[in-house]
Amino acid sequence: MTRPLIAGLDGSAESLAAARWAAREALLLGSRLDLVHAEEYPTTAAVPMAGPDVQRRWADTLLHETADDLRDRHPELEITTRRIEGRPFEVLSAEAAAAEMLVLGSRGLGSIVGFLVGSVGMATISATEQPVVLVRAPSLPDDETPYEETPAGLPHGDVVVGVDIHESCDKLLGFAFDEAGRRGATLRVVHAWSLPPAYSYASALEPDIQLDVGQRVTQALSDLLLPWRRRYPSVTVDEKCVAGPAAQQLLYAGDGAGLVVVGRRIRRSPLGGHIGHITHAVIHHAASPVAVVAHD
């Protein structure tokens, strides 16, 4: 049986957009959608300061109204709701352990394009080993669909994944190929590279050095993707090696994508989880939904 999807709710427009995104994803997976509210979400304009009983009634109303909204949109989808006491990142990461993925809203600020991921979101990503998808609220009226969809009702846009050909990325590629296959979308695989410091002066004297390195990097990416192409013959793959800063290139490639997929290394230590600088930049600045896939 396919495991459920978890969507965290805190009353914000971003968490509603995340719940709607998660509902469509659950239909693609044939999964149940679990809406979860952690009791200690920070107080915001949407969550006024109040006593415990008032907070619980507010949370229950939030969960039930969101579930009703999603059932109206997707009558065939199984939805459950849970209000759980505890620190948000601990509650959400614990719930995600038995789920396919965790979906969270990621707050924007005014007219700034991109994610503004707060301490709860960052702590949750670091503590969760299942994929975490961050969804930003669109600038659309409440009665419009948050994200453009194809006639079949599937999320519109390519799936973009950033890979490092020098590191193991099987889990990252597996997630990205699965997502592209379910959506019938093109998978765009991006690897950004730069010349090693030892080549920095030589390339100025001998331009063919950069061309030669670029060809070798491109071949390495093709070799990496070959078994995945064979495993997913129905997925159209567009592979691209680009010279330049990885975060910048991935943000450029992900502009207008249906989903951007990035990885983070699992670090089991007293210091807690770790989010690399490239993933950190993408989740803060990408306008498209971003999936963070933890891997060894």
Side-chain angles (χ1 to χ4, degrees):
M1 179 180 294
T2 304
R3 294 180 297 181
L5 269 72
I6 307 293
L9 287 177
D10 66 359
S12 66
E14 292 78 17
S15 73
L16 176 58
R20 290 176 176 174
W21 188 96
R24 295 193 299 276
E25 183 73 12
L27 288 174
L28 289 176
L29 283 165
S31 300
R32 185 182 77 239
L33 174 61
D34 294 347
L35 302 177
V36 175
H37 173 78
E39 199 66 67
E40 292 185 354
Y41 268 113
T43 298
T44 67
V47 188
M49 187 74 72
D53 291 341
V54 174
Q55 286 286 92
R56 292 188 185 103
R57 287 196 295 272
W58 176 88
D60 289 341
T61 299
L62 168 68
L63 289 165
H64 294 153
E65 288 183 350
T66 303
D68 288 343
D69 171 73
L70 297 179
R71 290 187 182 107
D72 287 342
R73 293 167 180 266
H74 310 288
E76 67 276 37
L77 179 62
E78 181 183 358
I79 302 171
T80 68
T81 62
R82 290 202 298 282
R83 171 174 50 81
I84 306 174
E85 294 185 4
R87 299 170 68 186
F89 81 90
E90 292 177 346
V91 167
L92 293 170
S93 61
E95 290 292 306
E100 285 293 321
M101 69 180 69
L102 171 65
V103 185
L104 302 174
S106 192
R107 187 156 299 150
L109 183 62
S111 61
I112 295 176
V113 175
F115 290 120
L116 189 65
V117 183
S119 59
V120 171
M122 295 299 286
T124 303
I125 293 169
S126 298
T128 304
E129 295 192 6
Q130 290 299 101
V132 180
V133 178
L134 301 171
V135 179
R136 190 168 63 89
S139 301
L140 293 174
D142 292 340
D143 59 347
E144 293 189 28
T145 303
Y147 293 99
E148 183 183 355
E149 296 181 348
T150 64
L154 304 179
H156 178 78
D158 297 343
V159 175
V160 175
V161 59
V163 299
D164 183 347
I165 62 173
H166 306 295
E167 302 285 350
S168 172
C169 51
D170 284 354
K171 192 170 182 181
L172 190 64
L173 285 171
F175 180 89
F177 269 90
D178 281 342
E179 285 293 323
R182 280 193 292 268
R183 297 158 181 257
T186 295
L187 175 61
R188 292 192 279 135
V189 184
V190 179
H191 171 70
W193 63 278
S194 58
L195 285 173
Y199 286 91
S200 58
Y201 294 109
S203 62
L205 299 174
E206 183 54 68
D208 286 345
I209 289 178
Q210 183 159 342
L211 178 61
D212 179 61
V213 173
Q215 289 174 340
R216 282 187 278 146
V217 170
T218 299
Q219 185 60 53
L221 179 61
S222 295
D223 293 343
L224 175 69
L225 294 177
L226 182 58
W228 293 96
R229 287 178 177 273
R230 290 171 175 167
R231 192 180 306 177
Y232 292 85
S234 64
V235 174
T236 300
V237 181
D238 176 17
E239 56 189 79
K240 182 175 294 185
C241 287
V242 288
Q248 179 180 325
Q249 295 296 338
L250 192 52
L251 286 167
Y252 177 77
D255 185 30
L259 183 66
V260 178
V261 184
V262 292
R264 77 164 185 87
R265 292 285 171 187
I266 297 173
R267 184 176 68 182
R268 297 180 177 89
S269 76
L271 298 176
H274 173 70
I275 299 174
H277 70 279
I278 296 171
T279 293
H280 192 276
V282 171
I283 64 178
H284 278 80
H285 297 290
S288 301
V290 176
V292 181
V293 180
H295 60 102
D296 294 318

